[in-house]
Amino acid sequence: MFICLKVLCVVTMRNEEHSYKNVEENTTMNNHNMEEVVEERDPEHNPLNEPLLIKRNRTLSGNPLALVGSKVSYIESLDYEINENDLFKQDWRSRSRTQVLQYIFLKWLLAFFVGFLTGIIATLMNLSIENIAGYKLLAVVEYIQNERYLTGFVFFMGINLVLTFIAAILCVCFAPTAAGPGIPEIKAYLNGIDTPNMFGANVLFVKIIGSIGAVSAGLDLGKEGPLVHIGSCIASILGQGGPDNYRIKWRWLRYFNNDRDRRDLITSGASSGVCAAFRAPVGGVLFALEEVATWWRSALLWRTFFSTAVVVVVLRAFIELCHEGKCGLFGAGGLIMFDVSNVSVSYNVMDIIPVVIIGVIGGVLGSLYNYLLHKVLRLYNLINQKGKMYKLMLSLAVSLFTSVCQYGLPFLGNCTPCDPSLPESVCPTNGRSGNYKQFNCPKGHYNDLATLLLTTNDDAVKNIFSTNTPLEYQPTSIIIFFILYCILGLITFGIAVPSGLFLPIILMGSGYGRLLGIIMGPHTNIDHGLLAVLGAASLMAGSMRMTVSLCVIFLELTNNLLLLPITMIVLLIAKTVGDSFNPSIYEIILHLKGLPFMDANPEPWMRNLTVGDLVDVKPPVVTLSGVEKVSNIVDALKNTTHNGFPVMDDRVVPPTGVASEATELHGLLLRAHLIQVLKKKWFLKERRRTEEWEVREKFTWMELAEREGNIEEVAVTKHEMEMFVDLHPLTNTTPFTVLESMSVAKAVILFRQVGLRHMLVVPKYQVTGVSPVIGILTRQDLLAHNILSVFPHLAKPKGREKKN
């Protein structure tokens, strides 16, 4: 009785109100204003210990909202499932062998261009960053040598503020979705969530220019995460024939006008971005497989590997060119962020102790970093909601603090005399890359803290990873370096500039790894630089929870298979320790943004609940007849927000020879296809079935792949309302159906692995006169927090111990 009253109440409310809510403000919007954005919310209703976006309705129905960029946006799922209607079947039957080969060839051609363009852009970004930051530091060093310390600080701070302002103003005013790394949104897209405005041309432009400005400004962020987003943007734009307003309408591009092929291209783009960041082709493929992709197959594996191979070739060509001195201040180290390929690795059984210690520390600090960053991002969200000016001022304030620390803290370092065995050109160095920066020290001395702070982030990593330098850094300098970058790593991520998490985590991890090397130096044979590398790997595993891909990336960077055993041990220990505290940092960001990401592992309590129980608390399913009246279609589209409608045929005689009539579930029809029908005015004067040629005259399969348009844009006259539409040719006749007795846990696994958008629930017992479908489940219905809002008793109370 309680469930019936609840369903009746929900149905009544849905008939009276066709709107969605911004949860924090409880602000209702009409359907025709659904794309309007609420930018300000009451902070009192958004405490730091609750999710940014959370819906706690006592029903499983509702419109999903998520924080995309700077706006609260309506989120839809993607149609990864093949829509096997009559037009699709006819298209595949009519394709010649030449057209099939053309389709396969174009997939590989686009994979090539994705890798090629990603490699070109990554090279240009590196050249720009190295030259802008290099000339800035050369000028600062000249001021310091002339003892014009105040002038040097003003110049250093001013240039950094200008570069940060350029990056922030582009993100704030032109492409808010370009801020941050973009990897969580890519994970969500490949999981089946259509995050709006994430892969456009304006986002690509702002991501490139903003990353150059932010990294050149010396902020504690890297270009690795943005490169993943850049590769995905390139793939998306190529797949759809160009930017939204300037698409190329070539006939051969029609093959990729669907969500399924676009997903494969974006997967290749993400792999290419990782490869461009670390020059690790196999690591890039494994990163996409382990971290971002939800759905995978062998053909996609080969194409992503081909894309990363193209990236490596492009990078290698530019490295050879830069060796000839044609790249300005771009060093001979090339595009690789750190390189310890010349290290002679030697360790014994007792060296396993510092390796285990580093792994444990990495797991603890990684989970602590995730926890603190979660709180900082919530605080930043409250600040950013106040307006664009607050976003800009926050970014500039972080840049100012970073400049003060990077310029001022080296004065706390001691001047150390150079080793007499080193040549004069090596120690000390002024301005250019090197391990022994003179800074404010007299001739023949160097400042180890300036070596780590007053330099580019990439050079800082190279310096702290440098091998055969056991006495170069003082413990106090390493401690200052570690504490500073812990603070900067927390306050920098989340400001309105393109930023990545890889480099801040590497800097923090290398700090405690090097410090542990200094402490345990007499008791281990492992080089201090290698311990710094292991520290960086452990913190990345403790925060991001990557293992296989991260191990391969580090092996490709170090070019030394002897590091494989200790690297594997460190990564496994760090991930295991981190998992015992909290989720990975990307999962935390997905939760903060409110993106309905479907996890790989369902909750244990989901096995105690069936899909029939979920359907019982949903409003009744809206169905259409095989030949439906136009007015009924318009009412269904205007009065609901459903994206799929089961199509039924009454009084059908089963082919088994049974004389009694039954109700047939013909299939599932998408909302976008119904809108196409209304736009094209494909109406019939009488209720009848159409012939196959009539459908092909009006529609093509490629047109049905478009997802644009809404019911408010369609005008239907009163006379047309009385006409009919034959929905059979457009209906997907092979939708995924499950019995009402299936557990929710099993349904979640099926939904995620197959990449579904709709799942029809059918009754276990077929009764005459009863509909063959009792409900339809979507992504929102299968999310754990939405289910617990309706069935709170399923959540196990904290502190309750298992019996027996």
Side-chain angles (χ1 to χ4, degrees):
M1 179 66 70
F2 173 73
I3 294 177
C4 294
L5 291 175
K6 183 188 300 183
V7 172
L8 179 61
C9 179
V10 171
V11 173
T12 305
M13 292 176 64
R14 288 176 63 85
N15 291 333
E16 294 176 354
E17 299 179 1
H18 309 298
S19 61
Y20 65 88
K21 296 182 179 180
N22 180 339
V23 181
E24 274 73 19
E25 288 188 337
N26 294 325
T27 304
T28 51
M29 301 179 181
N30 294 328
N31 276 341
H32 65 276
N33 290 329
M34 191 173 289
E35 296 179 357
E36 292 184 2
V37 176
V38 179
E39 295 195 43
E40 296 185 0
R41 289 171 287 183
D42 186 2
E44 294 181 1
H45 295 285
N46 190 21
L48 294 180
N49 59 350
E50 293 183 4
L52 295 180
L53 293 171
I54 183 171
K55 292 184 75 67
R56 285 294 183 262
N57 299 328
R58 289 299 176 181
T59 175
L60 285 174
S61 63
N63 293 312
L65 296 170
L67 189 65
V68 180
S70 62
K71 300 179 179 180
V72 177
S73 303
Y74 181 75
I75 297 294
E76 288 190 7
S77 296
L78 294 165
D79 295 305
Y80 288 155
E81 181 187 356
I82 295 178
N83 195 358
E84 293 185 347
N85 52 30
D86 292 347
L87 288 175
F88 173 82
K89 296 174 183 177
Q90 173 62 28
D91 178 78
W92 274 102
R93 285 196 301 265
S94 61
R95 284 190 184 183
S96 64
R97 181 177 177 82
T98 303
Q99 289 176 318
V100 173
L101 292 176
Q102 181 188 26
Y103 173 63
I104 297 174
F105 171 76
L106 290 176
K107 278 188 173 183
W108 286 90
L109 184 63
L110 286 179
F112 169 81
F113 279 114
V114 168
F116 180 77
L117 293 177
T118 303
I120 293 290
I121 291 176
T123 303
L124 296 178
M125 287 177 60
N126 278 277
L127 293 176
S128 301
I129 292 170
E130 290 290 334
N131 282 282
I132 293 174
Y135 284 114
K136 175 190 70 175
L137 292 173
L138 283 176
V140 171
V141 168
E142 185 175 353
Y143 284 122
I144 293 174
Q145 287 180 332
N146 296 328
E147 297 185 356
R148 298 172 61 185
Y149 301 117
L150 182 59
T151 306
F153 170 69
V154 173
F155 176 83
F156 182 72
M157 179 188 65
I159 294 296
N160 289 344
L161 286 176
V162 170
L163 293 172
T164 305
F165 177 80
I166 294 173
I169 199 70
L170 287 175
C171 286
V172 169
C173 298
F174 297 100
T177 52
I183 294 179
E185 289 83 359
I186 296 172
K187 282 174 63 72
Y189 183 89
L190 298 180
N191 191 257
I193 305 166
D194 186 16
T195 50
N197 304 320
M198 278 304 301
F199 304 107
N202 58 332
V203 176
L204 175 62
F205 173 78
V206 172
K207 202 80 175 183
I208 295 172
I209 303 301
S211 295
I212 293 174
V215 177
S216 301
L219 295 174
D220 184 25
L221 46 83
K223 54 187 176 297
E224 294 75 31
L227 273 174
V228 179
H229 193 184
I230 288 171
S232 301
C233 289
I234 293 172
S236 176
I237 293 173
L238 286 176
Q240 64 186 11
D244 293 336
N245 299 329
Y246 304 97
R247 290 188 181 182
I248 300 174
K249 299 295 183 180
W250 290 349
R251 180 177 177 83
W252 56 270
L253 280 175
R254 72 186 189 275
Y255 294 130
F256 304 96
N257 191 21
N258 61 83
D259 293 335
R260 191 181 183 88
D261 285 323
R262 191 176 178 219
R263 171 186 61 183
D264 292 352
L265 278 173
I266 289 178
T267 304
S268 298
S271 301
S272 301
V274 176
C275 177
F278 296 103
R279 209 176 72 179
V282 180
V285 175
L286 291 177
F287 176 84
L289 173 61
E290 180 183 13
E291 189 63 24
V292 296
T294 298
W295 188 83
W296 201 266
R297 66 180 189 277
S298 58
L300 180 59
L301 175 68
W302 286 107
R303 283 199 300 275
T304 53
F305 184 70
F306 175 65
S307 296
T308 57
V310 173
V311 173
V312 170
V313 172
V314 173
L315 296 182
R316 192 67 213 173
F318 275 95
I319 288 175
E320 294 298 329
L321 181 64
C322 291
H323 281 170
E324 301 176 3
K326 299 180 180 179
C327 300
L329 295 179
F330 190 64
L335 300 174
I336 194 166
M337 192 170 64
F338 54 92
D339 187 359
V340 290
S341 57
N342 297 324
V343 178
S344 58
V345 180
S346 61
Y347 50 86
N348 52 40
V349 178
M350 294 304 298
D351 291 328
I352 198 68
I353 297 176
V355 170
V356 172
I357 293 175
I358 285 181
V360 174
I361 294 176
V364 173
L365 291 183
S367 58
L368 179 62
Y369 175 75
N370 291 357
Y371 173 79
L372 296 176
L373 186 61
H374 174 255
K375 300 301 180 184
V376 172
L377 291 177
R378 298 201 55 79
L379 179 62
Y380 278 8
N381 181 71
L382 299 179
I383 297 175
N384 292 336
Q385 287 173 7
K386 296 180 181 295
K388 296 180 179 179
M389 185 58 65
Y390 285 87
K391 287 184 177 182
L392 191 60
M393 295 304 296
L394 178 60
S395 301
L396 295 178
V398 172
S399 176
L400 178 61
F401 177 77
T402 304
S403 300
V404 170
C405 294
Q406 289 178 339
Y407 189 89
L409 288 180
F411 287 98
L412 301 178
N414 298 322
C415 292
T416 306
C418 294
D419 189 344
S421 62
L422 296 174
E424 294 183 0
S425 60
V426 174
C427 182
T429 58
N430 292 313
R432 297 180 182 272
S433 60
N435 287 82
Y436 305 93
K437 294 295 182 65
Q438 183 176 352
F439 192 59
N440 62 334
C441 295
K443 187 175 179 59
H445 293 69
Y446 70 94
N447 187 319
D448 61 341
L449 199 52
T451 301
L452 297 175
L453 298 183
L454 198 63
T455 184
T456 62
N457 290 336
D458 286 0
D459 284 340
V461 174
K462 293 176 184 177
N463 293 337
I464 200 167
F465 281 175
S466 59
T467 57
N468 299 321
T469 55
L471 303 177
E472 177 184 355
Y473 302 105
Q474 302 296 323
T476 53
S477 299
I478 297 296
I479 292 174
I480 293 175
F481 170 84
F482 174 67
I483 294 175
L484 173 63
Y485 276 101
C486 284
I487 297 173
L488 294 180
L490 289 173
I491 67 173
T492 306
F493 187 82
I495 62 176
V497 297
S499 58
L501 279 169
F502 285 95
L503 194 66
I505 293 177
I506 287 175
L507 287 169
M508 286 185 287
S510 62
Y512 70 76
R514 189 90 188 194
L515 185 61
L516 187 63
I518 295 175
I519 296 173
M520 300 191 65
H523 309 287
T524 179
N525 296 323
I526 303 178
D527 189 89
H528 293 186
L530 289 183
L531 287 175
V533 173
L534 294 178
S538 68
L539 191 59
M540 291 181 71
S543 176
M544 300 180 179
R545 311 296 156 77
M546 297 188 300
T547 53
V548 179
S549 59
L550 191 58
C551 182
V552 174
I553 288 174
F554 271 85
L555 287 180
E556 290 183 287
L557 289 172
T558 57
N559 194 25
N560 199 326
L561 284 176
L562 293 176
L563 291 176
L564 179 61
I566 56 177
T567 304
M568 292 175 63
I569 293 173
V570 163
L571 294 178
L572 289 173
I573 293 176
K575 183 185 184 302
T576 303
V577 173
D579 284 337
S580 62
F581 291 100
N582 51 30
S584 71
I585 185 60
Y586 293 134
E587 293 180 21
I588 291 175
I589 295 174
L590 285 169
H591 176 70
L592 283 173
K593 289 179 174 291
L595 293 170
F597 186 83
M598 187 158 286
D599 295 321
N601 301 314
E603 299 291 340
W605 51 261
M606 289 184 175
R607 301 199 177 275
N608 301 325
L609 195 69
T610 66
V611 293
D613 297 330
L614 297 185
V615 170
D616 287 341
V617 296
K618 284 176 62 74
V621 62
V622 178
T623 62
L624 299 174
S625 300
V627 180
E628 187 60 86
K629 200 172 183 180
V630 174
S631 59
N632 294 338
I633 296 176
V634 173
D635 289 341
L637 294 177
K638 286 187 175 181
N639 297 332
T640 68
T641 57
H642 304 334
N643 284 286
F645 300 89
V647 177
M648 307 289 189
D649 278 329
D650 296 328
R651 291 176 294 180
V652 175
V653 178
T656 56
V658 181
S660 60
E661 297 178 344
T663 302
E664 176 194 20
L665 171 60
H666 186 71
L668 185 71
L669 187 60
L670 298 180
R671 183 185 192 89
H673 295 172
L674 288 174
I675 294 176
Q676 289 278 356
V677 167
L678 297 179
K679 280 185 175 181
K680 287 182 173 287
K681 308 290 184 181
W682 193 52
F683 303 146
L684 304 172
K685 293 183 179 180
E686 67 278 355
R687 186 186 293 270
R688 68 176 178 87
R689 296 283 293 265
T690 56
E691 300 294 335
E692 187 175 307
W693 62 268
E694 294 182 85
V695 185
R696 294 201 306 269
E697 278 188 350
K698 200 71 175 178
F699 296 96
T700 65
W701 178 69
M702 296 303 166
E703 288 178 336
L704 295 182
E706 294 287 345
R707 294 171 6 108
E708 301 175 354
N710 53 67
I711 185 60
E712 283 75 20
E713 299 173 353
V714 181
V716 182
T717 64
K718 186 175 182 180
H719 173 69
E720 292 171 338
M721 287 286 194
E722 301 300 320
M723 303 178 75
F724 299 90
V725 177
D726 181 16
L727 302 178
H728 294 94
L730 305 180
T731 302
N732 178 15
T733 56
T734 58
F736 281 87
T737 59
V738 297
L739 287 176
E740 60 178 333
S741 57
M742 175 183 282
S743 69
V744 174
K746 193 172 183 179
V748 167
I749 294 174
L750 175 64
F751 198 97
R752 185 182 190 272
Q753 290 183 347
V754 182
L756 300 181
R757 185 175 185 178
H758 307 97
M759 178 182 287
L760 300 183
V761 180
V762 298
K764 189 174 182 179
Y765 302 101
Q766 297 293 334
V767 180
T768 304
V770 178
S771 173
V773 56
I774 61 175
I776 184 169
L777 295 178
T778 61
R779 174 181 298 270
Q780 289 289 328
D781 302 329
L782 296 174
L783 294 179
H785 66 270
N786 284 347
I787 298 175
L788 288 178
S789 67
V790 182
F791 302 97
H793 63 279
L794 294 175
K796 184 183 296 184
K798 293 183 179 180
R800 183 178 176 181
E801 297 181 355
K802 294 182 179 180
K803 295 183 179 181
N804 299 327

